[in-house]
Amino acid sequence: MLRIAICDDETDARDALRFQLEKILIEDAEEIVYEFSSGVGAASWLKNHPGEIDLLFLDVEMKGLNGMETAKKIRTFDEQIVIVFVTGYSDYVFDGYLVGAMDYLMKPVTEEKLRQLISRVRAKSAQEESRTFTLKNRDGTWRFRLTDILYFYSDKRKVILVTAKGEYSFYARLEEIEKQLSAAFVRIHQRYLINPANVDYLGSESVTINGRELPCSRRYQETALPKIARSIMGG
């Protein structure tokens, strides 16, 4: 699933880009999720919805917070979102490297240029798919890098994904997530599935992750503790 957002303070420009995108996106697999009329609005929304957008088309010449300033603000909390600048001028091309922009598209954007860009984004997304975890809840769709996930824990019918920045709940069974992520995560308790790479301290009956002590039950100690120890030692 490729989720796209457009940020431009001109309605006609947003409509034109959306029209071109709709001609080439794969139905039911790729969609334009949000449109923003200001850099302030885009940065604020993206900060509160990490991982929900994969690709952002960002106009450079906007009133108030311009595109470059918006991109710099976004990069303070999101290094993964793909940013593509859309502009009527070529003066800003080199500035895009400062914020890790994938590319610049000159207005008016042609269908051929968009096809080439979307093809590159698809290839990048496919490469990163095995290194991410996606969940859906009532607030939307969220995508997390595995390295950013501290652990999962179950709470009745829900599972809570924990990162250093917050917790995200969704309906699932911890056993299903364990099967999906068995190569990178370790089950330490009936309620806890952890990322061993983020363990700060390993005890005989517990582990500490980001300052939180989690129990390691006898049932899982024999298999879990050696795996965690190897991860801590770099193996």
Side-chain angles (χ1 to χ4, degrees):
M1 183 70 179
L2 180 61
R3 296 157 299 173
I4 300 169
I6 300 171
C7 181
D8 196 310
D9 59 353
E10 296 183 358
T11 303
D12 290 346
R14 294 198 306 273
D15 291 345
L17 181 56
R18 184 181 66 250
F19 176 74
Q20 292 284 48
L21 281 167
E22 288 174 344
K23 291 193 292 183
I24 62 176
L25 295 181
I26 300 172
E27 189 175 357
D28 298 328
E30 301 169 344
E31 63 177 327
I32 302 168
V33 182
Y34 291 100
E35 294 185 21
F36 304 100
S37 60
S38 73
V40 172
S44 176
W45 190 91
L46 290 169
K47 186 174 184 178
N48 292 318
H49 297 80
E52 191 158 347
I53 297 297
D54 305 305
L55 169 60
L56 173 65
F57 287 96
L58 187 57
D59 180 37
V60 176
E61 302 87 22
M62 292 190 293
K63 297 175 182 178
L65 201 67
N66 67 32
M68 191 59 61
E69 293 167 338
T70 300
K72 290 177 180 178
K73 193 174 185 66
I74 291 170
R75 285 298 185 227
T76 63
F77 57 81
D78 189 340
E79 297 179 357
Q80 301 306 306
I81 187 172
V82 176
I83 294 176
V84 173
F85 286 112
V86 183
T87 179
Y89 306 92
S90 59
D91 304 358
Y92 304 96
V93 172
F94 292 106
D95 293 338
Y97 293 109
L98 299 175
V99 292
M102 174 177 275
D103 208 344
Y104 269 83
L105 295 178
M106 298 296 295
K107 295 181 179 179
V109 180
T110 66
E111 182 178 336
E112 181 57 30
K113 287 290 185 181
L114 270 182
R115 284 189 183 279
Q116 293 174 7
L117 174 76
I118 293 298
S119 179
R120 291 165 58 198
V121 175
R122 287 168 180 158
K124 183 177 185 294
S125 297
Q127 187 179 39
E128 294 179 347
E129 192 68 35
S130 63
R131 301 195 294 268
T132 62
F133 179 83
T134 302
L135 68 86
K136 292 184 180 180
N137 60 21
R138 64 181 182 180
D139 296 321
T141 301
W142 310 76
R143 181 177 294 172
F144 300 88
R145 292 185 302 174
L146 297 185
T147 53
D148 292 334
I149 301 173
L150 301 178
Y151 59 91
F152 298 87
Y153 71 91
S154 61
D155 182 14
K156 298 179 181 177
R157 295 175 56 209
K158 290 186 177 182
V159 169
I160 292 81
L161 181 153
V162 181
T163 71
K165 296 180 179 179
E167 301 188 1
Y168 307 83
S169 64
F170 58 107
Y171 287 100
R173 296 176 62 234
L174 200 58
E175 289 76 12
E176 296 170 351
I177 300 171
E178 182 183 10
K179 290 179 181 179
Q180 181 181 345
L181 302 177
S182 60
F185 282 67
V186 177
R187 188 74 172 266
I188 63 167
H189 189 276
Q190 184 177 355
R191 293 188 60 206
Y192 293 97
L193 177 68
I194 70 163
N195 184 345
N198 288 322
V199 170
D200 301 315
Y201 173 77
L202 173 62
S204 59
E205 297 181 350
S206 66
V207 300
T208 301
I209 301 178
N210 199 38
R212 306 174 196 178
E213 185 177 7
L214 308 178
C216 183
S217 63
R218 291 184 179 180
R219 175 183 174 184
Y220 296 99
Q221 285 176 10
E222 185 176 348
T223 55
L225 296 183
K227 291 181 181 179
I228 299 170
R230 286 196 297 272
S231 178
I232 292 175
M233 297 300 291

